Amino acid sequence: MLYPLTFSTIYKDKIWGGQKIRSILNKDFGDLPNCGETWEVSGVSGNISVVDNGTLAGQPLTALIQEYKSELVGKHVHHQFGDEFPLLIKFIDANQDLSIQVHPDDELAAKRHNSFGKTEMWYVLQADQGAKLISGFNQPLTREKYLEKFNAGKLTDILNSEEVKDDDVFFLPAGRVHTIGKGLMIAEIQQTSDITYRIYDFDRVDAEGKKRELHVEEALNAIDYRHYDSYKTDYSEKSNSRNQLVECPYFVTNKLVLDKPYDASLSADSFRVYICLSGKAELVTPNGTVGMKSGSVALVPAAIESVGIEPKSKVTLLETYVP
């Protein structure tokens, strides 16, 4: 019988990573010098999430999809993605600026890498004073104008830099040039893909004195050169209600701020992932209950239609699923 699943966290040390995964989320990354990312729910090859609760403990996510199929992920999700899990859920701690980068869309990723593209969203969990990120361009561009600026060493002159604060949300469709800036801790929801074209990395070197690989040429056909009036996602927030943050073909994400029991039942034919940003709660279903606290993530299988959330204190959660 399927029940709400939790998974062992996968920890990633990064050249730009820090200590907030431990100090804010109370996640122990052991002997790693830092932790730039945690992968909380992953179907990426080589980084498959493993269940750590209940009778299915020790089972990899991909094996569960192969066994339970639509019961786990939903009929239309399984029809579309087969035995591949369609989303990747992360926490990111940027102790330094990440590289300026872009991700390919589905068409380009399939052609070049036999992979999905990478559309993603960021929820800012914590921002140091004055922390910034980059999303898109600050002016209309053509490929030729972009190359002119890039080759002149003036890439940052054309990028849209924004000062951000706690609880800001950014949606980043594939093709949007971006980077997470120093001092930001972010919850990220994205398509299942690990394809990144690194455009500029601030001339950093690793522990062995080597610069990381750049993908300047590969990025040219992936970049969306258009300019947009706004890059930050505006949303309203009402307590004890679903507040939609993002709706796109790949995922819908809602924010829940609860201080009383909430019926989170949903008619969507999809699994649901809950990400606890702060506070404590229990996810209660007919097939089992799982505790949630800051930094915890749980997957509710599609076959479980009845879900209740019982706060143990004021709790803030993200809820995401495939539409």
Side-chain angles (χ1 to χ4, degrees), residues 173-213:
R176 183 162 296 171
V177 173
H178 62 272
T179 191
I180 300 172
K182 175 182 179 180
L184 293 176
M185 185 169 188
I186 280 173
E188 180 175 275
I189 297 164
Q190 59 161 91
Q191 288 178 267
T192 288
S193 172
D194 198 29
I195 300 171
T196 294
Y197 297 150
R198 201 176 291 122
I199 298 169
Y200 179 60
D201 198 34
F202 308 101
D203 299 318
R204 285 182 291 209
V205 295
D206 62 18
E208 298 176 350
K210 297 178 181 178
K211 292 183 180 180
R212 294 196 295 172
E213 182 183 5

Side-chain angles (χ1 to χ4, degrees), residues 63-116:
L64 294 183
I65 298 174
Q66 290 168 5
E67 180 175 355
Y68 292 101
K69 303 188 185 304
S70 61
E71 287 183 72
L72 180 60
V73 298
K75 290 180 182 177
H76 86 281
V77 175
H78 192 261
H79 177 75
Q80 184 175 358
F81 297 99
D83 292 339
E84 293 193 63
F85 192 73
L87 298 181
L88 174 57
I89 311 297
K90 298 179 180 180
F91 291 114
I92 297 174
D93 171 20
N95 191 49
Q96 299 293 331
D97 294 340
L98 274 67
S99 62
I100 296 171
Q101 57 191 245
V102 71
H103 307 299
D105 63 15
D106 285 347
E107 182 179 359
L108 188 60
K111 179 180 178 182
R112 290 181 175 175
H113 310 283
N114 191 30
S115 170
F116 298 122

Side-chain angles (χ1 to χ4, degrees), residues 26-27 237 272 292:
N26 296 309
K27 290 176 172 285
E237 185 174 307
R272 275 173 282 169
M292 303 288 287

Side-chain angles (χ1 to χ4, degrees), residues 4 65 110 115 131 144 157 169 173 187 192 230 235 243 248 263 287 291 293 303 310 316 318:
I65 298 174
S115 170
E144 291 70 30
D157 291 354
V169 172
T192 288
S230 177
Y235 67 94
N243 302 283
C248 72
D263 181 1
N287 295 14
K293 62 181 181 179
E310 296 186 0
T316 302
L318 298 182

Side-chain angles (χ1 to χ4, degrees), residues 20 24 92-93 123-129 131 164-167 183-187:
K20 289 179 181 177
I24 293 180
I92 297 174
D93 171 20
Y123 185 98
V124 180
L125 261 170
Q126 187 271 333
D128 291 354
Q129 185 73 29
V164 293
K165 61 185 186 306
D166 296 3
D167 305 312
L184 293 176
M185 185 169 188
I186 280 173

Side-chain angles (χ1 to χ4, degrees), residues 112-272:
R112 290 181 175 175
H113 310 283
N114 191 30
S115 170
F116 298 122
K118 189 173 174 182
T119 286
E120 61 192 17
M121 67 163 285
W122 297 335
Y123 185 98
V124 180
L125 261 170
Q126 187 271 333
D128 291 354
Q129 185 73 29
K132 297 180 179 181
L133 58 74
I134 287 169
S135 178
F137 296 111
N138 60 20
Q139 57 190 270
L141 290 172
T142 61
R143 176 177 168 140
E144 291 70 30
K145 183 69 173 178
Y146 165 85
L147 275 173
E148 178 186 321
K149 290 288 188 179
F150 180 87
N151 291 330
K154 296 182 177 180
L155 175 63
T156 55
D157 291 354
I158 58 176
L159 299 176
N160 174 59
S161 177
E162 301 204 25
E163 189 167 321
V164 293
K165 61 185 186 306
D166 296 3
D167 305 312
D168 279 349
V169 172
F170 287 82
F171 175 63
L172 298 112
R176 183 162 296 171
V177 173
H178 62 272
T179 191
I180 300 172
K182 175 182 179 180
L184 293 176
M185 185 169 188
I186 280 173
E188 180 175 275
I189 297 164
Q190 59 161 91
Q191 288 178 267
T192 288
S193 172
D194 198 29
I195 300 171
T196 294
Y197 297 150
R198 201 176 291 122
I199 298 169
Y200 179 60
D201 198 34
F202 308 101
D203 299 318
R204 285 182 291 209
V205 295
D206 62 18
E208 298 176 350
K210 297 178 181 178
K211 292 183 180 180
R212 294 196 295 172
E213 182 183 5
L214 299 181
H215 313 94
V216 177
E217 289 297 320
E218 294 94 326
L220 292 176
N221 287 337
I223 292 172
D224 177 1
Y225 296 99
R226 290 171 291 184
H227 173 255
Y228 296 86
D229 293 336
S230 177
Y231 292 93
K232 185 165 73 172
T233 299
D234 292 325
Y235 67 94
S236 59
E237 185 174 307
K238 182 180 178 183
S239 294
N240 301 303
S241 180
R242 278 191 173 96
N243 302 283
Q244 189 174 96
L245 303 180
V246 169
E247 181 180 19
C248 72
Y250 307 107
F251 52 83
V252 172
T253 301
N254 303 314
K255 180 179 180 180
L256 301 167
V257 182
L258 309 175
D259 58 16
K260 60 184 181 182
Y262 181 77
D263 181 1
S265 301
L266 194 67
S267 60
D269 176 29
S270 170
F271 65 90
R272 275 173 282 169

